[in-house]
């Protein structure tokens, strides 16, 4: 049968995109949960960022386990199980994590909450590995990107709703709750939230399992072995564990008798280990890059330099995307940023994550093959509609959005960036990387509304980066494309490493100054665009003939 006659399985697709919503809802909600936990449990900024560490490290561990198992049996594990069954397993795992979260909240144990989030995200890792290829399978492969982009749009809507719902669960409808009052809050609403989330996971799993319209989605395809790459990733994991265990042990020390110099020395010691963790990732990937160039055998997809540098780019991208949002609550608490309480930051967190929705909705326009004036109108109107949606859902929930009305000028700048990028991946990444770097510098050297808008604009910069990086990284991989995609998914790990680094730097130098981390991240992403274009040109691949496809 010709692919032109392949009909999209819409009932299965609509069932599938519910999981895309979960990913965004929980991930963005963490940005509210972090400053709350900081006050409620009397944590420093690094300790509060362990929410991100637990959540995003789970993605890495889950993807690594799937790769290791698949490498040992020579088959794609998720494809062998079937995409349908894999998503059901992932949803059940996430439901188990929601149960662990409920028990931890009831017991008032922060470490238990981190474990709960880790298990939830472990389920997400399996869901995400299966969901994107499954979306492509549910219809004509030529229109696969549009289905993935639909999932991405729903995911982004989840990131906009998540902070609002989590804020209501934590603070109720109170306009303002002081940091001191937070410690006396009852967490019963958080239990209700995760009971609801857990039931939704179970309901979605049942919907998938019992639906006769959702195909099994089996794909028993052999995978190329990459034993050297696996050994390097396992070694990196062991070294990362050693770095963080060394940091965690220092929090068991009684510092009540320490003077200021001893406390500063302890903070620097922790910072050294965090930089050590960063060195493990960067050094491990660069070592793989150099070794694979000398002898490609055993490295699998890592023999391609664009893939290894792309892994570092995904690590950096997810890291900076999460770090900006997760540290925003403490930034807004500063006097020069409005002295906002944790209960008052939800509109700003929602706007930050909503900024990713604005860009992704605009990025999805290309799949509709609009031309000329129609495409021009769509590129202007769609981002403004997305902006209006963010304002609308916040206003409906009772939030005061007047301070964010003029953020529309940042959206207009992003629209201009879209016109300049012309859907070309390298050009897109260079323009949006530069946009992000400039926004962070404006935020660093200013304060008040201008700085807040600048840091929120980091979301606009990040919005379209995932598909651009992904496209540049897997171009030319041939039979290693699927394996390369799995390696890229592992590098979501950046969301678990970079935010804690910024958090500890914040403890040492101040939250505002710590945002120089974001400048460095955007600088590398801009550099990667240049390097990838040069590498692909040497492989006789013209990136200007390739359009950005896909969505996070």
């Amino acid at each position: 049968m010709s692919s032109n006659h392949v009909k999209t399985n819409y009932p299965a697709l609509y069932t599938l995109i519910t999981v895309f919503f979960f990913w965004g809802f929980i991930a963005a909600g963490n940005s509210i949960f972090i400053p709350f936990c900081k006050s409620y449990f009397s944590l420093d900024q690094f300790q509060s960022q362990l929410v991100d560490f637990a959540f995003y490290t789970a993605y890495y561990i889950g993807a690594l386990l799937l790769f290791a198992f698949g490498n040992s049996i020579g088959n794609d594990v998720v494809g062998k199980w079937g995409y349908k069954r894999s998503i059901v397993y992932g949803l059940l795992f996430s439901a188990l994590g929601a149960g662990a979260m409920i028990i931890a909240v009831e017991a008032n144990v922060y470490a238990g909450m981190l474990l709960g989030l880790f298990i939830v995200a472990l389920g997400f890792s399996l869901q995400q590995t299966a969901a994107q290829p499954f979306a492509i399978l549910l219809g004509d492969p030529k229109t696969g990107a549009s289905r993935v982009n639909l999932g991405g749009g729903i995911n982004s809507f989840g990131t906009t709703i998540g902070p609002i719902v989590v804020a209501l669960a934590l603070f109720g409808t109170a306009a303002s709750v002081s940091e001191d009052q937070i410690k006396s809050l009852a967490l019963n609403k958080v239990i209700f939230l995760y009971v609801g989330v857990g039931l939704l996971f179970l309901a979605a799993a049942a919907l998938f399992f019992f639906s006769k319209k959702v195909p099994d989605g089996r794909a028993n395809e052999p995978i190329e072995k990459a034993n050297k790459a696996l050994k390097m990733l396992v070694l990196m994991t062991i070294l990362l564990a050693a770095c963080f265990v060394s940091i965690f042990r220092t929090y068991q020390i009684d510092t009540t008798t320490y003077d200021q110099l001893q406390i500063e020395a302890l903070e620097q010691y922790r910072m050294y280990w965090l930089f050590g963790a960063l060195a493990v990732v960067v050094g491990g990937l660069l070592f793989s890059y150099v070794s694979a160039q000398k002898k490609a055998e055993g490295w699998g997809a890592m023999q391609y330099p664009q893939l290894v540098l792309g892994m570092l780019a995904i690590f950096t991208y997810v890291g900076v995307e999460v770090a900006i949002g997760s540290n925003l609550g403490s930034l807004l608490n500063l006097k020069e940023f409005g002295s906002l309480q944790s209960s008052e930051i939800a509109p700003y967190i929602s706007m930050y994550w909503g900024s990713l929705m604005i860009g992704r909705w605009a990025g999805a326009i290309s799949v509709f093959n609009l031309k000329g004036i129609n495409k021009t109108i769509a590129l202007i109107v769609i981002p403004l509609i997305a902006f209006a949606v963010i304002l609308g859902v916040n206003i409906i929930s009772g939030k005061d959005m007047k301070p964010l009305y003029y953020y529309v000028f940042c959206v207009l700048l992003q629209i201009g960036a879209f016109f300049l990028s012309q859907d070309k991946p390298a050009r897109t990444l260079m323009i949006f990387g530069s946009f992000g770097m400039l926004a962070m510098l404006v935020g660093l050297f200013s304060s008040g509304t201008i700085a807040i808008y600048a840091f929120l604009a980091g979301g606009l910069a990040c919005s379209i980066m995932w598909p651009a990086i992904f496209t540049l990284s897997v171009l030319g991989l041939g039979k290693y494309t699927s394996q390369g995609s799995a390696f890229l998914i592992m590098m979501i790990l950046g969301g678990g490493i970079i935010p804690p680094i910024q958090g500890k730097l914040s403890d040492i130098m101040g939250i505002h100054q710590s945002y120089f981390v974001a400048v460095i991240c955007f600088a590398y992403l801009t550099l990667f665009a240049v390097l990838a274009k040069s590498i692909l040109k040497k492989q006789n691949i013209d990136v200007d003939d390739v359009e950005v496809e896909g969505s996070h």
Side-chain angles (χ1 to χ4, degrees):
M1 183 183 287
S2 169
S3 64
N4 293 330
H5 296 94
V6 177
K7 292 184 178 180
T8 298
N9 185 337
Y10 285 107
L13 179 62
Y14 296 148
T15 305
L16 176 64
I17 60 176
T18 58
V19 301
F20 282 78
F21 179 85
F22 287 142
W23 305 338
F25 179 90
I26 299 293
N30 286 344
S31 296
I32 297 290
F33 201 55
I34 286 168
F36 172 84
C37 287
K38 182 181 179 182
S39 296
Y40 189 84
F41 293 104
S42 300
L43 308 173
D44 65 20
Q45 190 68 7
F46 165 79
Q47 289 173 301
S48 70
Q49 293 298 320
L50 292 179
V51 168
D52 283 334
F53 172 77
F55 191 78
Y56 290 98
T57 301
Y59 271 92
Y60 169 71
I61 297 296
L64 179 58
L65 288 173
L66 287 173
F67 169 63
F69 189 37
N71 192 71
S72 67
I73 65 173
N75 248 296
D76 176 19
V77 179
V78 171
K80 191 172 183 178
W81 287 343
Y83 297 134
K84 176 180 177 177
R85 185 177 292 183
S86 297
I87 290 171
V88 170
Y89 290 160
L91 286 164
L92 291 176
F93 230 97
S94 293
L96 182 65
M101 189 74 172
I102 291 165
I103 294 169
V105 172
E106 183 68 43
N108 230 21
V109 179
Y110 181 56
M113 295 180 192
L114 297 181
L115 177 62
L117 282 170
F118 180 87
I119 299 171
V120 168
L122 209 55
F124 283 3
S125 176
L126 181 53
Q127 293 165 40
Q128 185 152 335
T129 303
Q132 298 204 35
F134 199 20
I136 294 170
L137 191 69
L138 293 177
D140 188 342
K142 292 180 180 178
T143 58
S146 65
R147 291 189 290 279
V148 174
N149 271 305
L150 175 63
I154 298 299
N155 171 273
S156 294
F157 186 64
T159 65
T160 305
I161 299 294
I164 300 170
V165 175
V166 173
L168 285 171
L170 293 172
F171 308 111
T173 56
S176 178
V177 178
S178 71
E179 304 306 308
D180 291 332
Q181 290 174 317
I182 285 176
K183 294 180 181 180
S184 61
L185 287 175
L187 294 183
N188 58 319
K189 287 185 180 178
V190 177
I191 293 174
F192 295 148
L193 173 66
Y194 273 90
V195 166
V197 167
L199 290 174
L200 284 172
F201 286 145
L202 291 173
L207 194 62
F208 264 92
F209 186 75
F210 292 110
S211 175
K212 293 179 180 179
K213 293 185 177 181
V214 179
D216 288 336
R218 294 183 186 274
N220 287 319
E221 295 181 4
I223 61 171
E224 300 295 330
K225 291 206 171 187
N227 292 325
K228 289 180 181 176
L230 177 58
K231 287 177 183 176
M232 173 54 66
L233 289 166
V234 170
L235 177 61
M236 284 169 54
T237 305
I238 293 169
L239 292 174
L240 283 171
C243 290
F244 277 94
V245 166
S246 298
I247 298 168
F248 296 155
R249 281 179 176 172
T250 66
Y251 280 97
Q252 297 174 348
I253 299 171
D254 182 5
T255 59
T256 53
T257 59
Y258 277 30
D259 60 28
Q260 188 61 32
L261 286 175
Q262 287 174 307
I263 290 173
E264 288 176 3
L266 184 62
E267 291 287 47
Q268 288 177 355
Y269 175 83
R270 291 166 176 163
M271 194 70 249
Y272 292 149
W273 278 111
L274 277 170
F275 280 137
L278 183 62
V280 165
V281 177
V282 177
L285 291 177
L286 293 180
F287 176 81
S288 303
Y289 174 95
V290 173
S291 299
Q293 296 310 298
K294 293 177 180 177
K295 190 177 181 181
E297 184 183 353
W299 286 103
M302 281 194 182
Q303 66 188 270
Y304 293 91
Q306 65 267 35
L307 187 274
V308 179
L309 294 177
M311 288 171 71
L312 187 55
I314 288 288
F315 175 88
T316 305
Y317 154 73
V318 178
V320 71
E321 174 188 281
V322 175
I324 293 172
S326 295
N327 286 286
L328 202 57
S330 292
L331 183 79
L332 295 171
N333 193 233
L334 297 179
K335 184 179 179 181
E336 59 268 34
F337 285 86
S339 299
L340 298 180
Q341 305 297 327
S342 295
S343 60
E344 299 172 306
I345 65 171
Y348 297 89
I349 300 297
S350 178
M351 183 60 75
Y352 172 73
W353 289 103
S355 293
L356 279 92
M357 182 180 81
I358 292 170
R360 287 170 186 168
W361 283 18
I365 291 170
S366 61
V367 303
F368 297 105
N369 295 316
L370 297 176
K371 304 294 181 184
I373 189 65
N374 290 332
K375 184 173 183 179
T376 300
I377 292 171
L379 271 175
I380 295 171
V381 173
I382 295 298
L384 294 176
I385 290 174
F387 177 65
V389 168
I390 299 164
L391 291 177
V393 295
N394 275 278
I395 290 169
I396 290 169
S397 70
K399 305 297 181 185
D400 178 15
M401 298 301 287
K402 291 186 182 69
L404 290 168
Y405 285 168
Y406 292 105
Y407 184 66
V408 70
F409 289 108
C410 295
V411 177
L412 293 174
L413 285 175
Q414 187 203 40
I415 292 170
F418 267 111
F419 279 107
L420 290 173
S421 63
Q422 299 174 353
D423 291 332
K424 308 302 180 187
R427 188 183 178 97
T428 296
L429 195 54
M430 275 188 270
I431 289 171
F432 279 84
S434 301
F435 177 47
M437 193 163 40
L438 181 61
M440 295 304 104
L441 287 169
V442 170
L444 273 171
F445 292 103
S446 61
S447 61
T449 302
I450 291 175
I452 292 172
Y453 280 15
F455 288 130
L456 292 179
L460 297 172
C462 287
S463 62
I464 196 63
M465 284 187 170
W466 174 278
I469 297 168
F470 219 95
T471 301
L472 291 171
S473 301
V474 300
L475 275 175
L477 265 58
K479 64 181 181 180
Y480 292 104
T481 301
S482 178
Q483 187 182 90
S485 298
F487 286 153
L488 290 170
I489 294 293
M490 286 182 206
M491 289 299 105
I492 290 177
L493 172 68
I497 304 292
I498 292 176
I501 287 176
Q502 184 177 348
K504 183 48 64 186
L505 283 169
S506 166
D507 291 332
I508 294 171
M509 63 171 58
I511 186 67
H512 191 185
Q513 292 74 19
S514 73
Y515 270 83
F516 83 88
V517 170
V519 178
I520 296 171
C521 290
F522 281 121
Y524 173 71
L525 292 169
T526 307
L527 176 64
F528 168 69
V530 177
L531 293 175
K533 186 173 183 178
S534 174
I535 290 167
L536 291 167
K537 188 175 181 180
K538 290 177 182 177
Q539 297 174 10
N540 296 316
I541 300 172
D542 186 0
V543 294
D544 289 331
D545 289 337
V546 181
E547 290 192 356
V548 178
E549 286 190 346
S551 177
H552 180 21

